[in-house]
Amino acid sequence: MKTYCKHTKCGGTLFVRHCIDLYLKDKKGRSDVKRFIASYDGDLDAIAADMAGEIRSGNIRLGEIRYFNRIEPTNGKRRVIGRETVRHQIFDWIAVTALMPMLKAKVGPHQCASIKGRGTGRVRQLIKRWSFEGRFKYFIKMDVRKYYPSIDRPTLKKMLAHDVGDAQLLRLTFTLIDSYQGKNGLNIGSYLSQWLANYYLSGAFHYAAEQLTATRRHKDGTTVSRRLIDHVVFYMDDILLVSHSKRDLKMAATRMVRWIEKNLKVSIHPEWNLKHCALEPVDMAGFTFRPDGRVNIRTVIFLRMRRAFNRAARASWIGYDLAKRCASYWGYLVHSDSWSYRRRHGIDSTMRRVRASLRLHAKMQRRRYAITDRVQ
């Protein structure tokens, strides 16, 4: 098997400075970033030289990760989020930038979430296109139980050691992985974790896309191989399998669960079952998909979106927090078949007021930063 990232120069000052510039894009106004840069008297070259020296020596200073609980408003799930220091975040960017050739090669084309250009919009595009096909008949949706906390670190490190040829980069990546709390799992909220989470399931994706087959032997001794599934898409740890054959799909799902639990040492939620596309829509990435190509918003998200836009429509002036909430839901309305709802409830005119509120807030922030810089 091919080995990637053999000579990354991740301990070079120029490479680290390039990663710092990538990290600081759209983050220079944050107070914690300003404090970190000020601790080096604003000298980014000194920061790069210091961090590059730590990578070469192996004595990497990360700072303490602050953890807090978050309850998901749509499903009530409790998640532990880790907030890293600025120094730790920059090391994440260095590791991901150096690992990128390997990550791009390994992560499957239909593995979505936390990848630029492959978010909910990409999932919606794929499933909507498949829904017009005559073979879009049955589907099974499954997900990994508590995916981030249950990732097996020894297995992940073994995969990285097999695919990455730079010892210095491996040492940095292992140090970052070991800095997370507990003996297993990754940190929700880390830039490195979101890429490693996709990488960890990449083997499962390629197994589903390439090896879920069945072979039939004829009387004359010839054999014919066929695929058990027609389509597969991953949205982080949510897995959707689609097939025109009920028997083949059930066989494929059983093999898939067995492969994941054996090779990745994580467990699949046991309540998955086979469903008919004509009787029940596919619920994935915040949308529901029907065989005629119609795309609707998931009910829980739609109710919260409607409440936010109703509040904005009644308000004489839309505050910043409410404007952010409406803007985050706007994408669901644009990328679903909700034009008649938008027209009936005047959503587009409310959205124009939301944009005006966000523009004013951004203008005030820029002015505040300019005053602060002049004072300093």
Side-chain angles (χ1 to χ4, degrees), residues 26 32 261:
D26 301 327
D32 57 341
E261 293 181 347

Side-chain angles (χ1 to χ4, degrees), residues 309-319 322 350 353:
F309 273 96
N310 286 344
R311 288 177 182 172
R314 292 193 301 265
S316 57
W317 173 252
I318 303 174
L322 182 57
T350 304
R353 295 174 58 213

Side-chain angles (χ1 to χ4, degrees), residues 123 127-128 130-131 136-141 233 239-242 275-291 294-298:
V123 176
I127 301 178
K128 184 172 183 176
W130 298 339
S131 65
F136 190 78
K137 292 184 177 180
Y138 304 99
F139 73 93
I140 287 177
K141 183 187 173 186
V233 63
I239 304 169
L240 178 69
L241 305 176
V242 179
K275 298 177 181 178
H276 199 296
C277 298
L279 302 178
E280 186 170 346
V282 178
D283 188 332
M284 191 83 170
F287 296 101
T288 57
F289 304 86
R290 299 185 180 276
R294 194 165 76 254
V295 180
N296 295 328
I297 304 172
R298 184 182 293 166

Side-chain angles (χ1 to χ4, degrees), residues 171-200:
R171 184 175 61 190
L172 169 63
T173 307
F174 291 174
T175 301
L176 294 172
I177 292 173
D178 291 334
S179 68
Y180 307 143
Q181 69 175 359
K183 295 182 179 180
N184 260 345
L186 298 177
N187 176 31
I188 302 177
S190 164
Y191 181 57
L192 174 64
S193 292
Q194 68 187 37
W195 276 102
L196 291 182
N198 277 308
Y199 167 69
Y200 195 69

Side-chain angles (χ1 to χ4, degrees), residues 43-104:
D43 189 351
L44 297 182
D45 290 331
I47 298 174
D50 185 26
M51 299 183 76
E54 292 182 13
I55 294 174
R56 290 193 298 269
S57 66
N59 185 22
I60 299 172
R61 296 176 293 124
L62 297 173
E64 183 182 0
I65 302 175
R66 297 174 59 189
Y67 293 94
F68 61 94
N69 294 323
R70 173 179 169 81
I71 306 297
E72 291 291 335
T74 55
N75 52 30
K77 291 182 179 178
R78 175 181 171 273
R79 304 190 190 279
V80 180
I81 312 295
R83 182 178 294 141
E84 300 173 345
T85 63
V86 174
R87 174 181 287 272
H88 196 146
Q89 293 173 34
I90 293 174
F91 277 120
D92 280 353
W93 274 80
I94 295 169
V96 171
T97 305
L99 288 170
M100 192 56 68
M102 183 274 294
L103 294 171
K104 286 184 176 180

Side-chain angles (χ1 to χ4, degrees), residues 314-351:
R314 292 193 301 265
S316 57
W317 173 252
I318 303 174
Y320 179 60
D321 290 337
L322 182 57
K324 285 195 302 181
R325 195 178 313 154
C326 292
S328 67
Y329 287 125
W330 176 244
Y332 285 104
L333 289 165
V334 171
H335 294 104
S336 62
D337 298 321
S338 304
W339 171 245
S340 60
Y341 176 82
R342 287 164 53 187
R343 185 178 54 193
R344 286 197 311 270
H345 295 271
I347 299 296
D348 290 38
S349 61
T350 304
M351 194 61 202

